[in-house]
Amino acid sequence: MIAYLLRRALWTLSVLWVVFTLSFLLMNAVPGRPFGGDRGMDPEIEKIFRARYHLDEPIYVRYGYLLTDYLRGDFGISKTLRDFSINEIIAQGLPVSATLGLLALLFALTFGIIAGIASAVRRGGLVDHSLMAVATVGIALPEFVVAGLAIIMFVFILPWFPSAGWGSLRHLVLPVVCLGLPYAAYIARLTRSGMLDVLSQDYIRTARAKGLAPSTILTRHALKGSLLPVLSYIGPATAGILTGSLVEEKIFAIPGLGIHLVESVFQRDLTLAMALTMLYTVILCLMNFIVDVLYKVVDPRIKLDA
Amino acid sequence: MHKPLLQVEDLRVEFHTDDGVVRAVDGVSFNVAAGETLGIAGESGSGKSVTNLAILGLLPRPPARIVGGRAMFDGRDLLTLSQPELRRIRGRRVAMIFQDPMTSLNPLLTVAEQLTEMTRLHLGHTPRQALDHAVTMLEKVGIPAAGRRVHDYPHQFSGGMRQRVMIAMALSCKPDLLIADEPTTALDVTIQAQILELIRDLQRDEGTAVVLITHDLGVMANLCRRVAVMYAGRIVEESSVDELYSRPHHPYTLGLLRSRPRLSGGDGRLRPIDGQPPDLSRLPSGCAFHPRCPFVVDRCRVERPALLPTPFEGRAACFVSKEVAAAAEVELD
Ligand SMILES: Nc1ncnc2c1ncn2[C@@H]1O[C@H](COP(=O)(O)OP(=O)(O)O)[C@@H](O)[C@H]1O
Ligand SMILES: [Mg+2]
């Protein structure tokens, strides 16, 4: 297990290194002056940037400097947000975005799994048909449509929630639900088909032949196996929620990192864009790492040295 | 004679599928006495599994529908029991082992978890007692280092060892009846003999009655005193093993005996039965076996023969059973 964790950690680090290198090269390949904007840069700022990012040195030296900075956890400075270091921007925005993202993931898992199990157990019934209809719609609709409908419904028609902002529980509800909904829907379908697949297995018949109660069979013999596909989906779901949060943060005016990432791209704030890209990559890699390890804990058939 | 432990009468099971109604079991009756081993033989698709799954209420409903019959066990009809009542019988009084030990054990639970949940439920064992009992059972079925292996997962065992685990699990509550549905079909030939021997030894030691289902008549000879042969959802012949092997009264039984590899005698060739087993949703008129039967007479095409006693304490469903028996005696001698 230790050896496996080490190997997996090494792999994750190499992925991060590749992403870092590619981002660095892309950043340098952007047309125009290095770190320059459309209208050029304030000479004052440009001087600071020249010094901070060693812009007079050849590219491989700059690469070395930047890599060292990142390894030390110093993400440098931004040309658009001059009052803060990028580290300060992240320190402000990350808790907000992480709260939004994690709650959305939690919402998606909880509702998706419960709905999926209910559908599978009542297969072919009214519960199944209505839940799966909702799920199909939930998967098909783009985030901004869901968010738009939700705002019309629960802000204007039924004034239950504020339309935008951050700070209270009531602010959280709509963005979390809108962000998590497509993933809840997909997880519901995954859970349902996983559960139906497991329930048709020979070993479920064995469990019934042993005289176990249906609830025991469901929880002890079927649940684990039926959630394996959901577990593998957590990686992609995290990636989706990360990008989805860019849209939701914009719609609901949430002071997270998403807005900074979008703005940094529009403003050609390359140092900020690169820092946030790396941050999102780290989060995604971390999630995949956790999922991989969990998968091996749940399914003993998977060899650790594979 | 003892009152039978299990008495199945006129069991009828249908499957309602998109292609129509499949009569998988069509009026099957048999008895099993306490401590006895009954063999049920027949080609695959003849309704052996469905018969026994129906008795324990294990068929998927829908599509399965039990349309008639009784299965008396200990004075009660299993077919009319409620699910909670049935659960107290399953595993506790009647246990079952299945064909494929690779898929019949839960791959995500250890052997210990799968064995102990049963005795904790039915015998009220504490976790400690249940684990000790599980180890004892694994030792009994010949699993080496049982104390350690009990914590392994099914995939860490070979096919034969897994079937031993299944047997240990099935017998762990000392059931009165063990239904073994083709317990060796999925195993290597050398392992098959070991598993059958194990079932026989345990059956003798524990006094458990056994219903042994197989499509291989050869397997039966060593284990059973009585054998029922099924064809197209019906029992076509039932008699003692000795009788069945030397003087079958149904042409289908004779066909099965001919198609069995033998070490000596005959010309050494395998002779499979001509033709295919019938489609159960479109059964032939009269005797379901008549299109494949070398002894067929006109009556077979229009009238279905009843299962009637033979002169030798067996039962056979054939209009020309005397001729079959005479021909068989000459051929199988
Ligand atoms: N789930 C099912 N749905 C439809 N038909 C079935 C199902 N299970 C069994 N059958 C029918 O019942 C017949 C008998 O099956 P089975 O009892 O499994 O045969 P075997 O003698 O090989 O054990 C099969 O030929 C098949 O047509
Ligand atoms: Mg079968």
Side-chain angles (χ1 to χ4, degrees):
Chain A
M1 189 75 184
I2 303 281
Y4 167 76
L5 288 177
L6 281 176
R7 226 186 356 263
R8 196 65 185 70
L10 211 65
W11 167 249
T12 306
L13 285 179
S14 19
V15 169
L16 290 176
W17 174 71
V18 169
V19 175
F20 175 85
T21 307
L22 283 177
S23 312
F24 177 81
L25 292 176
L26 281 173
M27 188 165 81
N28 278 276
V30 171
R33 287 179 300 155
F35 299 97
D38 290 323
R39 281 156 277 129
M41 237 182 200
D42 180 338
E44 189 85 357
I45 307 283
E46 181 156 353
K47 226 167 78 197
I48 299 175
F49 262 70
R50 240 169 232 294
R52 175 66 179 78
Y53 287 106
H54 312 276
L55 293 184
D56 297 323
E57 308 276 352
I59 183 166
Y60 56 89
V61 177
R62 277 186 277 134
Y63 177 78
Y65 277 124
L66 196 64
L67 188 56
T68 321
D69 282 348
Y70 270 58
L71 286 177
R72 288 208 326 263
D74 176 1
F75 295 110
I77 52 176
S78 144
K79 74 167 196 189
T80 49
L81 300 163
R82 289 171 206 161
D83 297 338
F84 306 98
S85 71
I86 293 181
N87 284 38
E88 284 166 341
I89 295 170
I90 290 175
Q92 275 173 17
L94 184 60
V96 175
S97 290
T99 307
L100 177 63
L102 281 178
L103 283 178
L105 189 61
L106 206 65
F107 163 79
L109 285 170
T110 317
F111 276 76
I113 289 171
I114 290 174
I117 292 173
S119 289
V121 172
R122 305 233 175 284
R123 173 170 49 141
L126 186 66
V127 176
D128 182 23
H129 285 307
S130 23
L131 280 174
M132 284 307 120
V134 172
T136 309
V137 175
I139 294 171
L141 287 181
E143 278 117 357
F144 57 88
V145 176
V146 175
L149 289 175
I151 288 175
I152 293 172
M153 190 66 207
F154 296 110
V155 176
F156 295 123
I157 300 181
L158 300 168
W160 293 353
F161 300 108
S163 69
W166 190 253
S168 79
L169 267 180
R170 269 157 42 91
H171 281 107
L172 277 169
V173 176
L174 285 185
V176 164
V177 171
C178 291
L179 181 55
L181 194 66
Y183 304 96
Y186 196 78
I187 288 171
R189 298 188 71 104
L190 274 181
T191 308
R192 178 180 184 273
S193 64
M195 184 58 101
L196 289 178
D197 180 50
V198 169
L199 287 179
S200 70
Q201 297 290 318
D202 282 354
Y203 60 80
I204 296 297
R205 187 180 57 189
T206 305
R208 297 213 296 137
K210 285 158 82 174
L212 301 178
S215 55
T216 315
I217 293 174
L218 204 66
T219 51
R220 198 174 332 171
H221 282 269
L223 192 60
K224 240 195 211 176
S226 64
L227 290 185
L228 285 177
V230 176
L231 194 53
S232 352
Y233 178 63
I234 290 181
T238 305
I241 284 179
L242 283 178
T243 46
S245 70
L246 304 186
V247 179
E248 304 292 348
E249 286 184 15
K250 184 111 186 128
I251 294 175
F252 291 100
I254 294 168
L257 288 177
I259 291 176
H260 290 313
L261 182 55
V262 175
E263 285 300 311
S264 68
V265 174
F266 285 134
Q267 303 289 331
R268 290 213 191 181
D269 187 347
L270 297 179
T271 54
L272 182 59
M274 168 135 183
L276 293 178
T277 307
M278 283 314 293
L279 182 67
Y280 278 44
T281 312
V282 169
I283 293 172
L284 195 55
C285 283
L286 208 64
M287 207 62 177
N288 279 326
F289 179 76
I290 294 171
V291 166
D292 265 25
V293 174
L294 273 181
Y295 209 102
K296 281 168 183 64
V297 172
V298 177
D299 191 343
R301 287 167 299 183
I302 296 189
K303 295 242 177 8
L304 287 177
D305 42 63
Chain B
M1 193 184 153
H2 293 294
K3 207 165 154 283
L5 178 67
L6 174 70
Q7 197 168 4
V8 177
E9 285 168 30
D10 198 29
L11 179 67
R12 289 165 198 277
V13 182
E14 292 176 352
F15 285 93
H16 290 248
T17 67
D18 296 340
D19 301 331
V21 176
V22 176
R23 290 223 171 76
V25 178
D26 191 11
V28 163
S29 307
F30 61 87
N31 294 337
V32 187
E36 173 192 41
T37 302
L38 170 73
I40 300 183
E43 282 166 302
S44 81
S46 54
K48 308 181 296 293
S49 300
V50 170
T51 300
N52 288 282
L53 290 171
I55 292 169
L56 277 186
L58 292 174
L59 286 174
R61 285 188 270 183
R65 198 182 287 178
I66 295 175
V67 286
R70 298 200 301 170
M72 301 306 293
F73 179 83
D74 203 14
R76 294 190 293 175
D77 182 1
L78 298 181
L79 302 184
T80 59
L81 288 187
S82 69
Q83 283 296 321
E85 287 174 313
L86 210 46
R87 286 205 295 275
R88 279 197 289 277
I89 289 179
R90 288 184 195 141
R92 170 80 190 86
R93 312 279 316 270
V94 183
M96 210 162 173
I97 54 180
F98 299 97
Q99 176 167 339
D100 193 348
M102 298 296 176
T103 58
S104 297
L105 289 165
N106 191 326
L108 302 183
L109 299 178
T110 64
V111 164
E113 288 171 300
Q114 301 189 56
L115 259 76
T116 56
E117 68 178 347
M118 208 164 158
T119 51
R120 295 192 62 189
L121 173 72
H122 292 304
L123 306 181
H125 278 175
T126 64
R128 187 70 241 167
Q129 282 174 320
L131 188 64
D132 289 344
H133 187 64
V135 173
T136 312
M137 288 310 296
L138 291 182
E139 279 165 354
K140 207 177 266 182
V141 298
I143 288 181
R148 187 166 49 77
R149 303 287 329 253
V150 73
H151 298 294
D152 282 352
Y153 288 92
H155 73 273
Q156 292 165 292
F157 292 84
S158 67
M161 284 293 158
R162 275 188 229 187
Q163 198 59 296
R164 285 172 193 265
V165 170
M166 277 297 290
I167 293 171
M169 189 162 80
L171 296 181
S172 63
C173 295
K174 271 188 164 292
D176 303 297
L177 175 64
L178 172 69
I179 298 174
D181 191 348
E182 311 213 26
T184 60
T185 308
L187 302 177
D188 290 346
V189 182
T190 47
I191 312 290
Q192 286 187 4
Q194 295 172 11
I195 294 291
L196 290 170
E197 232 165 82
L198 174 68
I199 292 177
R200 191 187 54 200
D201 293 348
L202 291 172
Q203 190 264 338
R204 207 178 37 213
D205 298 348
E206 315 273 323
T208 315
V210 176
V211 172
L212 179 70
I213 301 172
T214 168
H215 62 251
D216 178 359
L217 274 185
V219 160
M220 301 261 173
N222 307 315
L223 267 85
C224 313
R225 277 233 315 279
R226 272 193 318 125
V227 173
V229 178
M230 284 188 73
Y231 186 78
R234 300 170 70 84
I235 292 182
V236 293
E237 177 158 15
E238 187 200 327
S239 76
S240 73
V241 164
D242 297 341
E243 198 45 48
L244 194 89
Y245 280 72
S246 59
R247 197 167 17 196
H249 279 71
H250 196 285
Y252 178 62
T253 316
L254 180 59
L256 284 181
L257 288 171
R258 277 184 184 150
S259 66
R260 167 175 64 110
R262 281 188 299 174
L263 293 177
S264 59
D267 51 13
R269 281 190 305 140
L270 292 181
R271 279 179 290 174
I273 306 172
D274 290 336
Q276 293 294 315
D279 176 351
L280 295 181
S281 58
R282 285 175 207 80
L283 279 181
S285 61
C287 172
F289 188 60
H290 87 252
R292 303 169 74 186
C293 182
F295 294 88
V296 63
V297 295
D298 286 343
R299 191 180 173 195
C300 306
R301 297 183 227 275
V302 289
E303 195 181 330
R304 196 159 67 178
L307 189 63
L308 296 174
T310 65
F312 305 92
E313 293 188 0
R315 297 188 293 162
C318 180
F319 295 124
V320 292
S321 58
K322 281 199 193 65
E323 287 86 331
V324 176
E329 248 178 312
V330 174
E331 189 189 323
L332 296 173
D333 188 26

